[in-house]
Amino acid sequence: MSIFHLIIFICFLLSISYLVFLTSASWCQPLAFPQQTTRQFEQRTDRFWEFQEESNSWVEVKLPFDLVSCVNDNCTKVGLIDQTSKTEEEHLANGKDVSNKTKSLKMREGDLIGLEENSYTVLPLRRRMSLTKMSDTSIWVTGESGSIYERFWNGVQWVIAPHDLQISAGRAVSVLIVNQTIFTISEEGNLYQMKLSDWVELKPAFNQSINKEAEQSSVIQMKSGTVSYDGLRVYFCTKTGLLLELSEVEPPRWENHGRPPGADVAAIADMARIRTDVVYTISPTGDLYEYDKSSRPSWKKHLQSEETDKDGSLVPLQGCMIYGLSGDHSVSLFLLSKGGKLVERRLHQRKWKWITHGSPEDHHLTSITPFLEDELKERFFSLFLTTSTGSVFEYQIPKHLGTAQEDQISEAWQNHMHPPNAKAARGIPGLKFQLCRILFALDDGRLAELHLPGLGGQNSGPTNQFNRKKLSSKYIWSILDAPESEGWNGEYCTEERGPMNCIAGIKDEPNDSGNIRSLTRRRKGTKAQQDYLSLGTSRSRLVKASEEYRFPDNWINTSFRLRLVQAGVSFFIITEAGLIFEYLYTESVWLWLRHDHSTPMRGALGNYNGSVFFVDVYGTLLIRERSNNELAWINCTAMRKGRQVIGGPPWDGMSGKLKVTAEDALFFVSKSGRLLQFSVALRKFKWKDCRSPPETKLACIIDQEVFRENIVFVVGRNGRLYQYNKVTELWHEHHQSQHLVLSRLPGTAMRPSFFSLTGSLFMLSEDGGLVEYHWNAWNGWNWVEHGTPSKDVTLVAPPSPCIKGNQLFLIGSDGNIYLRYMDQLIWRWKNCGFPQNGDGDTRDQTEMGANDRMQEVCMDNDPTANLDINLKNPNDQNRKCDPKVAPTRPIPFSEDSVIFELAEIQKVQDSKWVWQRIIGTPTSSCKGSYLTALAS
């Protein structure tokens, strides 16, 4: 009977399974075709992430973001992720509040909980920036590049003095000053002490300690440090979670305080001023601990209340301690929660309690500046805090508060916003400099001072006396320049007598003409703020032109046909048919080497350490290099994250004059108009997408780190000038008249001296004129339009390299070469003709050029004397040779010679140039004597 029931039950289950299958099929069938055709992707968020293989982590992308599909090295754009809602600026312009769709989103176990409005604008963390005050006249700074510099008041002006670590020590992350002794912590966690202007490594050495971890001093790595209020001791937090103390400097005396039971020390929140042995720390999980070496047990944990626990645990950052806020014997420690709220741990009448002060509406707080007691309003303490989107808020706290203080919080926040076209660095506390003067690190690598009018700024030194009645209560911003190590224009001080002296400046130094150069001509802060525009703020953006512009078919070949390999010895040329030839001088003979490849080439885009970068007709980036005794090809586009390219850096510099570093990279422009970084140092090849300015596709690179270290200047397809900062990975747009549209051709940099940042970028305008973008310390950036050599001649090719810091060649529409040079501080034109002048005219000619400038026609006395070409008679087949110079970008061949296609011009004295030779090639119509060989 039981077997019979079992059989019946199995049959019942099979029938139900069959019915479910039919039902499922009936449900799925109508979804397969009819509904699939009407299904559309609906974007409901502005937050997307991409997986970064190098760091093995997810990284949030900035919108708009191109969706690219790559199949067999052929990458095409298949879609675009754009923003779903207006930006905050657009909402404010329309007088509306920020949309609820872009308000705070919570992240589990993340550094940020409750991100601000428009979360895609949340700034990245700058982990190497720090500000340290040594005195009223000396501020020490570590930049995002890892460099160390000092802003020093020399009695006349603020100057910048470099104090970088040696290259082998790596990058610096912070500076500590203990009893006039200067320490710095490297990114690797090593501690260095400055002795006689040199950095010497200081390794912790302990006596016999109970803690075995402290005995292994060789493996102790510092994470951060905090100096005591008396300036005599410094506490360190190690990467392994220990709390160390350097109680004496000479000789060093170290103490190991261990770690809290069951926890580590992630940050030092603050130290007590009255009880100097008390230190407050924060664990990685966000718990507050108190260390008191005089009590037992030494470590105590501060339990959080239910109210503070809702906002998340504490952020492991430096806090701020204030005495007497709610009474003569009260202690208040201000900290930040991971929810971006300001919280207070208060000790009053021997009782601890937590108080939540919150945050400005829709803002996430990321750092606290130590309190600034405003003597103009003695009833208040002021805390200055930065937000995740780069704004600065002031939180005013009344002194001797009663129990009803929370009712006044809603009116206590004052928004000082941020400097024009710049934002405060996220997570970096400001530095109280003087009364009503606070320094902040900016996200773009510069500094900014928040001060009252008439009481601060670049040209204002330390002051302790001022008229309170005449001071405004409204703060203003002044931007302070950073040195070239951060990609900016701050020049280092010098030992020469004058206002830039590193120790004592002298006013009103006379110049060579006997005039007095007043300090009032120093660059003004407002001018500096107008030169660099935040992306999206330009009122003259030509988006339509960017989309409609199409490159000519021969654009790559015209801009990158020639490439120097070794000065005076070798260069490459790409023919119109895509063949590669190298002109090489070996064993006292000039010969042509042919480098074969399976696909035709379009141009030579770069040269690094003897390896030449080519691009073929498909946009593939290839390296031609010597491996042992053989030549080899390397396909860079086929590497991970490789892209197809259309352009590269204009110049590689003269061989042997460029320093080689562990961060060397070449930059290229992709087919989709994005900037690509290709790391080449130590042959560790790696691609990085630097993207492009919003709503703009790139056309070409004007200069890569020749004019300014760590800066790549580019021109967009809209004819505007932009720059990319390698250190901060930020884009900036330069101020440019809406009537000035640049050509989409490479440019050249002119920097006469390595020790001075003064110089120019030379480009062509869309109408064929020469344009200069000049920078100096007195006037900042300025546009100068040089025009054309004459009214009936336009410039048709990218400018040549800079010669001797004041000369460059350009190719005219008439086939002549024109020299633009400076003579006694006046720019002049000189016509150098072309190598073979049919009429044999050798007379010096002078005529008025564009804008009433002098135009001089200079030609060699015997135009055919030095030509590598045999013209036997007028009826020779070489009469087909067009002697005019082709509109191809010229290249430097030595310090005194330039190669055109294909002729060499050489400088004989000052601004006098003569044509040296015409160089015949295996494919040119100008037949000459040459040797050819096949490279292998």
Side-chain angles (χ1 to χ4, degrees):
M1 193 68 181
S2 60
I3 297 176
F4 176 77
H5 288 142
L6 179 62
I7 294 174
I8 295 298
F9 180 74
I10 293 174
C11 294
F12 177 76
L13 289 178
L14 290 176
S15 62
I16 292 178
S17 301
Y18 181 73
L19 179 61
V20 170
F21 174 77
L22 292 178
T23 306
S24 300
S26 64
W27 287 345
C28 297
Q29 186 174 1
L31 293 175
F33 297 98
Q35 294 189 17
Q36 184 68 28
T37 58
T38 60
R39 181 181 299 177
Q40 295 181 353
F41 172 75
E42 182 180 357
Q43 181 178 339
R44 297 185 178 182
T45 181
D46 282 335
R47 304 191 66 198
F48 294 86
W49 286 263
E50 66 173 342
F51 187 75
Q52 191 176 71
E53 297 181 3
E54 292 82 356
S55 60
N56 196 30
S57 61
W58 289 93
V59 179
E60 188 171 1
V61 300
K62 295 182 178 180
L63 303 184
F65 182 78
D66 293 334
L67 298 176
V68 180
S69 174
C70 295
V71 180
N72 296 329
D73 300 335
N74 184 18
C75 298
T76 57
K77 177 181 176 181
V78 297
L80 174 70
I81 301 178
D82 208 342
Q83 301 163 6
T84 60
S85 57
K86 296 183 179 180
T87 62
E88 179 186 6
E89 289 80 3
E90 291 174 332
H91 280 287
L92 294 176
N94 295 331
K96 299 179 180 179
D97 295 333
V98 179
S99 172
N100 292 330
K101 294 182 180 180
T102 58
K103 285 191 177 181
S104 59
L105 299 174
K106 293 189 176 181
M107 301 171 57
R108 294 183 179 179
E109 299 181 357
D111 291 336
L112 296 179
I113 299 178
L115 294 178
E116 290 184 27
E117 72 285 351
N118 293 334
S119 58
Y120 58 86
T121 61
V122 172
L123 303 178
L125 284 174
R126 304 299 185 187
R127 302 186 184 277
R128 304 187 193 102
M129 291 182 176
S130 70
L131 300 170
T132 305
K133 177 181 177 181
M134 184 176 187
S135 65
D136 286 349
T137 60
S138 176
I139 306 295
W140 289 64
V141 184
T142 58
E144 183 62 17
S145 68
S147 66
I148 306 173
Y149 64 93
E150 176 188 6
R151 295 192 77 250
F152 178 73
W153 178 258
N154 65 3
V156 173
Q157 65 183 47
W158 290 100
V159 295
I160 299 175
H163 300 289
D164 288 340
L165 283 170
Q166 50 268 31
I167 297 177
S168 60
R171 300 170 174 174
V173 295
S174 64
V175 172
L176 304 166
I177 301 176
V178 185
N179 197 18
Q180 302 301 313
T181 302
I182 304 172
F183 298 92
T184 186
I185 301 176
S186 71
E187 198 169 31
E188 289 74 18
N190 299 321
L191 181 65
Y192 294 87
Q193 178 182 352
M194 177 171 281
K195 293 184 177 181
L196 300 177
S197 300
D198 292 326
W199 292 105
V200 179
E201 186 174 0
L202 179 63
K203 294 184 178 181
F206 300 92
N207 296 326
Q208 295 296 327
S209 174
I210 299 177
N211 194 330
K212 296 182 179 180
E213 293 183 68
E215 296 178 3
Q216 303 173 354
S217 60
S218 59
V219 298
I220 290 181
Q221 295 178 315
M222 305 298 183
K223 181 180 179 181
S224 61
T226 305
V227 180
S228 61
Y229 285 101
D230 56 15
L232 300 178
R233 294 166 296 120
V234 57
Y235 289 88
F236 293 96
C237 166
T238 70
K239 292 186 177 182
T240 57
L242 295 175
L243 178 65
L244 306 182
E245 178 185 354
L246 181 62
S247 56
E248 295 181 10
V249 176
E250 294 295 343
R253 180 183 176 184
W254 290 90
E255 295 183 49
N256 173 39
H257 301 305
R259 54 168 59 90
D264 292 329
V265 177
I268 300 173
D270 211 331
M271 289 166 290
R273 297 191 182 189
I274 300 176
R275 299 174 59 195
T276 57
D277 292 334
V278 177
V279 182
Y280 296 92
T281 66
I282 301 175
S283 69
T285 57
D287 294 319
L288 178 65
Y289 288 87
E290 176 183 342
Y291 175 79
D292 185 356
K293 66 169 63 176
S294 62
S295 65
R296 291 294 180 270
S298 300
W299 289 97
K300 299 182 181 66
K301 181 178 181 180
H302 289 246
L303 300 177
Q304 295 189 20
S305 64
E306 295 182 0
E307 182 179 359
T308 56
D309 190 56
K310 293 180 181 179
D311 295 323
S313 53
L314 301 176
V315 180
L317 293 174
Q318 180 183 359
C320 175
M321 184 169 288
I322 299 178
Y323 288 87
L325 182 60
S326 57
D328 294 336
H329 302 288
S330 66
V331 179
S332 297
L333 178 60
F334 287 88
L335 304 166
L336 295 180
S337 69
K338 289 186 177 180
K341 308 294 184 182
L342 178 65
V343 297
E344 176 189 353
R345 184 60 166 165
R346 178 182 298 175
L347 175 62
H348 183 54
Q349 296 179 353
R350 298 183 180 182
K351 293 183 179 180
W352 285 100
K353 68 175 181 177
W354 289 98
I355 298 175
T356 301
H357 294 268
S359 64
E361 185 178 0
D362 297 327
H363 284 278
H364 187 108
L365 304 176
T366 61
S367 71
I368 305 176
T369 298
F371 82 95
L372 178 66
E373 183 176 355
D374 193 346
E375 295 185 2
L376 302 181
K377 301 176 181 178
E378 297 181 356
R379 297 170 50 199
F380 292 91
F381 284 108
S382 291
L383 289 178
F384 289 83
L385 305 99
T386 62
T387 69
S388 60
T389 54
S391 295
V392 174
F393 278 85
E394 178 184 0
Y395 185 61
Q396 293 185 343
I397 311 169
K399 293 183 181 180
H400 304 294
L401 290 174
T403 58
Q405 60 142 357
E406 289 79 7
D407 298 336
Q408 306 175 18
I409 291 177
S410 60
E411 301 178 358
W413 296 99
Q414 293 188 14
N415 188 358
H416 296 288
M417 302 183 70
H418 48 75
N421 301 313
K423 294 184 178 181
R426 169 187 161 196
I428 307 300
L431 175 67
K432 174 187 174 182
F433 169 47
Q434 278 194 317
L435 178 65
C436 304
R437 300 180 68 177
I438 310 172
L439 289 178
F440 289 92
L442 297 181
D443 184 62
D444 60 20
R446 294 177 292 180
L447 303 179
E449 182 180 343
L450 184 63
H451 59 92
L452 297 179
L455 196 61
Q458 175 63 32
N459 300 322
S460 177
T463 177
N464 295 318
Q465 297 180 356
F466 54 89
N467 192 334
R468 296 186 180 184
K469 296 181 179 180
K470 294 183 179 180
L471 290 179
S472 170
S473 59
K474 183 178 181 180
Y475 282 88
I476 61 174
W477 287 99
S478 293
I479 291 183
L480 313 176
D481 227 336
E484 189 179 14
S485 61
E486 310 306 311
W488 293 100
N489 307 307
E491 298 199 20
Y492 291 127
C493 60
T494 66
E495 297 180 357
E496 299 178 358
R497 178 185 176 91
M500 289 289 292
N501 187 271
C502 293
I503 305 299
I506 300 177
K507 295 183 179 181
D508 300 333
E509 281 291 299
N511 55 25
D512 297 337
S513 60
N515 297 325
I516 301 298
R517 186 177 66 190
S518 174
L519 288 176
T520 57
R521 292 186 57 198
R522 296 295 298 173
R523 189 182 183 192
K524 297 181 179 180
T526 55
K527 178 66 168 61
Q529 297 172 11
Q530 296 172 0
D531 290 335
Y532 297 90
L533 305 178
S534 297
L535 297 178
T537 61
S538 174
R539 291 175 293 181
S540 58
R541 186 180 302 279
L542 305 178
V543 179
K544 184 177 181 180
S546 173
E547 296 297 331
E548 295 179 353
Y549 183 80
R550 296 292 181 269
F551 290 98
D553 294 337
N554 63 341
W555 184 89
I556 299 179
N557 198 263
T558 299
S559 301
F560 299 99
R561 176 171 291 184
L562 303 171
R563 203 81 195 190
L564 177 70
V565 178
Q566 186 176 353
V569 176
S570 171
F571 69 86
F572 276 89
I573 181 173
I574 311 298
T575 67
E576 293 183 358
L579 301 178
I580 309 172
F581 288 96
E582 179 184 3
Y583 197 49
L584 178 66
Y585 185 76
T586 177
E587 298 180 356
S588 303
V589 176
W590 285 101
L591 56 87
W592 286 102
L593 291 179
R594 193 181 73 190
H595 297 256
D596 286 342
H597 193 266
S598 57
T599 58
M601 294 295 160
R602 295 285 298 275
L605 301 186
N607 171 30
Y608 177 80
N609 200 24
S611 299
V612 184
F613 292 77
F614 296 91
V615 59
D616 66 9
V617 292
Y618 302 107
T620 304
L621 183 66
L622 302 159
I623 300 179
R624 184 63 161 168
E625 66 174 12
R626 185 172 296 279
S627 177
N628 297 326
N629 294 326
E630 297 182 356
L631 290 171
W633 289 99
I634 299 177
N635 190 333
C636 302
T637 301
M639 298 178 184
R640 186 172 59 180
K641 294 190 176 181
R643 296 290 188 270
Q644 295 175 321
V645 299
I646 60 171
W651 313 114
D652 307 305
M654 299 302 294
S655 178
K657 290 194 173 184
L658 292 179
K659 61 179 181 180
V660 178
T661 68
E663 299 177 355
D664 286 347
L666 296 181
F667 285 83
F668 302 94
V669 177
S670 70
K671 276 189 173 182
S672 59
R674 301 160 80 95
L675 185 67
L676 305 175
Q677 179 179 338
F678 186 68
S679 299
V680 294
L682 305 176
R683 293 186 57 79
K684 295 180 180 179
F685 301 129
K686 185 176 66 174
W687 285 96
K688 177 182 177 181
D689 186 0
C690 303
R691 309 190 185 282
S692 62
E695 302 178 349
T696 303
K697 294 183 179 181
L698 303 184
C700 63
I701 297 175
I702 296 297
D703 174 69
Q704 178 192 327
E705 299 185 89
V706 176
F707 182 76
R708 195 68 80 240
E709 184 180 356
N710 295 319
I711 294 296
V712 180
F713 291 93
V714 300
V715 169
R717 297 182 188 179
N718 55 7
R720 315 295 294 180
L721 180 65
Y722 302 88
Q723 74 171 41
Y724 174 77
N725 191 316
K726 283 177 54 179
V727 177
T728 61
E729 301 181 357
L730 293 179
W731 285 95
H732 280 88
E733 180 181 358
H734 282 264
H735 177 74
Q736 182 178 335
S737 170
Q738 60 181 350
H739 304 292
L740 175 60
V741 181
L742 300 175
S743 69
R744 287 73 170 178
L745 294 174
T748 191
M750 180 178 289
R751 183 169 168 178
S753 173
F754 175 79
F755 301 100
S756 174
L757 300 182
T758 299
S760 301
L761 295 173
F762 285 90
M763 299 155 280
L764 298 186
S765 63
E766 194 175 43
D767 56 4
L770 179 63
V771 179
E772 175 188 4
Y773 194 41
H774 179 75
W775 189 92
N776 61 51
W778 294 273
N779 301 314
W781 287 104
N782 285 285
W783 289 97
V784 181
E785 297 192 44
H786 292 254
T788 60
S790 61
K791 295 181 179 179
D792 55 348
V793 174
T794 58
L795 305 176
V796 294
S800 76
C802 168
I803 308 296
K804 299 298 182 182
N806 61 359
Q807 303 177 49
L808 70 156
F809 286 97
L810 299 114
I811 303 175
S813 55
D814 56 357
N816 289 333
I817 299 300
Y818 293 90
L819 175 66
R820 189 61 167 166
Y821 70 102
M822 180 173 286
D823 181 24
Q824 297 180 354
L825 302 180
I826 298 177
W827 283 104
R828 300 181 184 274
W829 289 102
K830 183 178 287 187
N831 185 352
C832 294
F834 46 84
Q836 178 188 355
N837 190 0
D839 56 12
D841 187 2
T842 60
R843 295 175 299 171
D844 291 338
Q845 303 177 20
T846 302
E847 63 181 5
M848 299 304 295
N851 300 327
D852 296 332
R853 295 185 178 91
M854 297 302 296
Q855 179 193 38
E856 301 176 10
V857 180
C858 65
M859 300 205 179
D860 190 4
N861 289 332
D862 187 359
T864 61
N866 296 319
L867 304 184
D868 285 351
I869 181 170
N870 298 321
L871 298 179
K872 297 180 180 179
N873 57 69
N875 297 322
D876 196 304
Q877 61 178 354
N878 272 327
R879 296 289 293 177
K880 298 180 181 179
C881 172
D882 186 358
K884 294 184 178 181
V885 178
T888 301
R889 183 173 64 93
I891 62 172
F893 196 52
S894 68
E895 292 184 352
D896 298 320
S897 67
V898 178
I899 295 291
F900 295 85
E901 187 194 353
L902 248 177
E904 179 182 1
I905 192 170
Q906 191 171 19
K907 186 169 72 71
V908 292
Q909 63 180 21
D910 296 334
S911 60
K912 183 178 180 181
W913 293 77
V914 296
W915 288 104
Q916 183 70 12
R917 55 178 172 164
I918 289 180
I919 305 173
T921 70
T923 61
S924 70
S925 58
C926 300
K927 302 297 181 182
S929 57
Y930 50 81
L931 298 176
T932 60
L934 179 63
S936 62

